[in-house]
């Protein structure tokens, strides 16, 4: 890969996703893009860049998706979820008692563990929230991760990361070697593809926004 290829990819990634690739991330770029180059039938990154410049929009989307990091797990970092459960929700139950509705935005949801953690916490408060209209909107740049979100299917490894065993037993059922979140919890979350560089107006107003770990790897 030439320095000009690197500059081209740095600018593309910043313009399309907001992620800034510093000069020391060449190894990361190569490890993520070489499999894509092979898939596109070219020997290396320089040829991949040529193909992108020739105007393949779907290839450009694939490159941006390959460069984003989708690492996530249930109840990640614990504290924000404890705070949501113990302070934010009780305060909102008082503050929104008149309209009995809550809108929550999970703004970079990756494969769904974050919005579904919130959905399970709200399920645990079902008695207090009876009769409330609750919307959880989960968005991400990547259509691929959103497909996984919708299915709500997780491996043994994924359910062992952060999910308390009581919630696994209560809200999931085993499907072969995988675990699927029950339909009533899945149906609490709506998924939409959305780039955080876009205008947020169309999404409407929210009572709570979770926007976490989007830029930490860059
Ligand atoms: C590391 S995951 C974090 C997931 C979750 N919020 C968490 O904390 O576990 C980062 C997610 O941000 C998404 N992302 C990166 N840039 C984005 C952008 N410009 N707009 C929307 N999503 C973006 C990626 O696709 C990825 O799924």
């Amino acid at each position: 890969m030439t320095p000009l290829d690197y500059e081209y990819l740095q600018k593309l990634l910043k313009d399309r996703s907001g992620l800034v690739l510093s000069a020391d991330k060449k190894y990361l770029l190569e490890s993520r893009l070489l499999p894509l180059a092979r898939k596109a039938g070219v020997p290396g990154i320089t040829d991949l860049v040529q193909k992108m410049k020739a105007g393949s929009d779907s290839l450009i989307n694939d490159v941006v998706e390959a460069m984003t990091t989708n690492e996530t797990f249930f109840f990640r970092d614990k504290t924000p979820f404890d705070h949501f459960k113990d302070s934010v929700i009780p305060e909102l139950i008082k503050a929104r008692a008149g309209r009995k509705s809550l809108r929550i935005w999970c703004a970079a949801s990756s494969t769904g563990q974050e919005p579904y953690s919130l959905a399970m916490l709200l399920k645990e408060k079902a008695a207090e929230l009876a009769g409330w209209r609750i919307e959880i909107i989960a968005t991400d740049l990547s259509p691929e991760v959103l497909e996984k979100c919708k299915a709500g299917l997780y491996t043994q490894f994924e359910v062992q990361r952060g999910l308390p065993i009581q919630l696994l037993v209560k809200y999931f059922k085993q499907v072969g070697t995988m675990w699927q979140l029950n339909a009533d919890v899945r149906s609490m979350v709506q998924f939409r593809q959305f780039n955080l560089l876009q205008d947020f107006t169309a999404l409407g107003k929210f009572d709570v926004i979770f926007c976490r770990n989007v830029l930490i790897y860059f």
Side-chain angles (χ1 to χ4, degrees):
M1 176 177 28
T2 66
L4 278 178
D5 295 335
Y6 196 67
E7 260 173 47
Y8 168 81
L9 290 163
Q10 264 179 322
K11 181 168 181 337
L12 178 99
L13 196 66
K14 181 154 190 278
D15 292 347
R16 297 277 181 138
S17 71
L19 300 176
V20 177
L21 208 57
S22 53
D24 61 342
K25 292 284 191 292
K26 205 167 158 231
Y27 73 95
L28 182 72
L29 204 132
E30 279 176 342
S31 67
R32 301 257 176 109
L33 296 192
L34 278 174
L36 260 187
R38 263 178 238 124
K39 209 173 127 195
V42 293
I45 299 207
T46 297
D47 303 270
L48 187 74
V49 166
Q50 289 314 317
K51 242 185 145 126
M52 291 162 74
K53 287 183 179 163
S56 166
D57 231 29
S58 76
L59 184 60
I60 288 179
N61 288 341
D62 288 351
V63 166
V64 173
E65 274 198 55
M67 287 311 300
T68 59
T69 302
N70 304 124
E71 161 84 351
T72 186
F73 48 95
F74 290 102
F75 299 97
R76 182 175 191 174
D77 305 325
K78 196 172 173 300
T79 312
F81 294 95
D82 286 347
H83 186 61
F84 177 77
K85 173 170 65 86
D86 299 332
S87 306
V88 176
I89 288 302
E91 278 167 31
L92 282 173
I93 286 178
K94 282 189 220 139
R96 304 287 186 262
R99 66 170 211 223
K100 285 190 183 279
S101 70
L102 286 180
R103 294 193 83 227
I104 298 162
W105 180 20
C106 190
S109 62
S110 188
T111 44
Q113 285 89 332
E114 187 173 67
Y116 286 139
S117 298
L118 298 174
M120 284 184 273
L121 289 181
L122 290 165
K123 270 268 169 208
E124 293 291 292
K125 295 202 180 257
E128 287 159 85
L129 290 168
W132 284 58
R133 178 180 150 77
I134 310 235
E135 271 182 275
I136 304 174
I137 317 279
T139 62
D140 200 280
L141 178 73
S142 156
E144 201 177 316
V145 294
L146 291 171
E147 282 310 308
K148 175 158 168 126
C149 285
K150 283 180 202 157
L153 260 179
Y154 297 96
T155 62
Q156 183 73 36
F157 176 69
E158 287 167 330
V159 297
Q160 274 169 347
R161 294 185 79 196
L163 183 67
I165 185 82
Q166 300 88 332
L167 296 185
L168 176 67
V169 171
K170 195 165 171 185
Y171 295 117
F172 287 75
K173 67 171 178 301
Q174 203 157 8
V175 180
T177 57
M178 308 281 282
W179 291 87
Q180 187 167 39
L181 199 61
N182 294 339
D184 59 337
V185 182
R186 274 186 280 139
S187 68
M188 291 173 71
V189 183
Q190 301 167 41
F191 295 98
R192 294 191 205 155
Q193 201 222 346
F194 184 80
N195 188 333
L196 289 170
L197 296 180
Q198 286 168 237
D199 180 357
F200 303 162
T201 321
L203 295 175
K205 288 191 174 174
F206 292 94
D207 300 292
V208 181
I209 298 174
F210 267 62
C211 181
R212 307 177 54 234
N213 303 313
V214 184
L215 301 173
I216 55 166
Y217 302 97
F218 291 90

